[in-house]
Amino acid sequence: MKFICALITVSDINRSKQFYTEVLDQKIKYDFGENVTFHGDFAIHLDTHFQQIIEGPEIRRDGHNFELYFENDRVDELEKKLESLNIKFVHKVREQPWRQKVLRFYDPDGNIIEVGESIEFLSFRLSQEGISLDKVAEITNMSVEFVKDSISQFS
């Protein structure tokens, strides 16, 4: 068995398609009208159509029990973009205990979206703060070799 993608239901497929393509810069892989799959392997499905497929159970919103996770090494810039679009935040940019910068916000249907800097960029950022390779490896819970490789990607 092979996992293919996560699928979330949305109340307005065009509004959500616009949000994911224009706000989060996602590229459409397949567009079947009421079901759209994006590169990165997640999909949105029109809730009324999905409800027919599963034969009627209620589609619920605002469960706060999952999120879609993306990476962007410019989370501070993304926060400003989202603010200018009046996107509702779960929280603005903050550092996780392992120092990774993340922000969380809602898509048009109240699904939680998390965007965090990559661990590779975090390794580079921490090294730029003068933190030793061994300490960066300890903070990120990654190997020193991973940290070295990550830093070289951004140097």
Side-chain angles (χ1 to χ4, degrees):
M1 182 182 314
K2 178 182 173 185
F3 177 77
I4 299 299
C5 79
L7 179 143
I8 59 172
T9 61
V10 299
S11 60
D12 182 328
I13 198 79
N14 291 321
R15 177 185 69 180
S16 292
K17 191 168 24 174
Q18 181 179 10
F19 175 82
Y20 285 100
T21 58
E22 294 180 15
V23 176
L24 297 182
D25 299 322
Q26 298 303 294
K27 304 292 182 232
I28 294 173
K29 188 174 185 179
Y30 306 113
D31 187 340
F32 303 109
E34 61 273 316
N35 185 340
V36 177
T37 302
F38 295 90
H39 288 276
D41 297 324
F42 75 96
I44 57 176
H45 200 126
L46 182 62
D47 57 7
T48 53
H49 184 260
F50 187 74
Q51 191 170 20
Q52 290 172 1
I53 291 170
I54 63 171
E55 298 180 349
E58 176 187 358
I59 304 295
R60 297 186 184 127
R61 298 268 174 243
D62 302 322
H64 290 97
N65 58 351
F66 80 96
E67 66 180 19
L68 293 179
Y69 174 73
F70 297 87
E71 289 186 341
N72 179 321
D73 295 332
R74 308 268 184 258
V75 292
D76 296 307
E77 291 173 21
L78 178 61
E79 179 183 272
K80 289 180 176 103
K81 176 182 179 179
L82 297 172
E83 287 174 330
S84 74
L85 297 169
N86 295 314
I87 301 295
K88 183 178 174 189
F89 288 88
V90 175
H91 64 76
K92 294 188 178 182
V93 173
R94 66 169 63 153
E95 282 192 5
Q96 303 286 42
W98 53 93
R99 302 276 319 267
Q100 179 191 30
K101 287 185 178 183
V102 301
L103 71 154
R104 290 181 176 89
F105 52 94
Y106 297 100
D107 79 355
D109 287 281
N111 298 303
I112 297 174
I113 307 299
E114 176 183 350
V115 179
E117 64 186 346
S118 66
I119 299 301
E120 292 86 353
F121 185 79
L122 169 60
S123 297
F124 171 74
R125 183 171 61 80
L126 294 176
S127 74
Q128 293 299 109
E129 293 176 11
I131 298 174
S132 72
L133 293 177
D134 288 335
K135 187 66 176 172
V136 171
E138 179 184 326
I139 291 168
T140 61
N141 203 28
M142 303 304 284
S143 69
V144 172
E145 191 62 36
F146 176 90
V147 171
K148 284 181 189 176
D149 290 345
S150 298
I151 292 168
S152 70
Q153 291 178 37
F154 296 95
S155 297

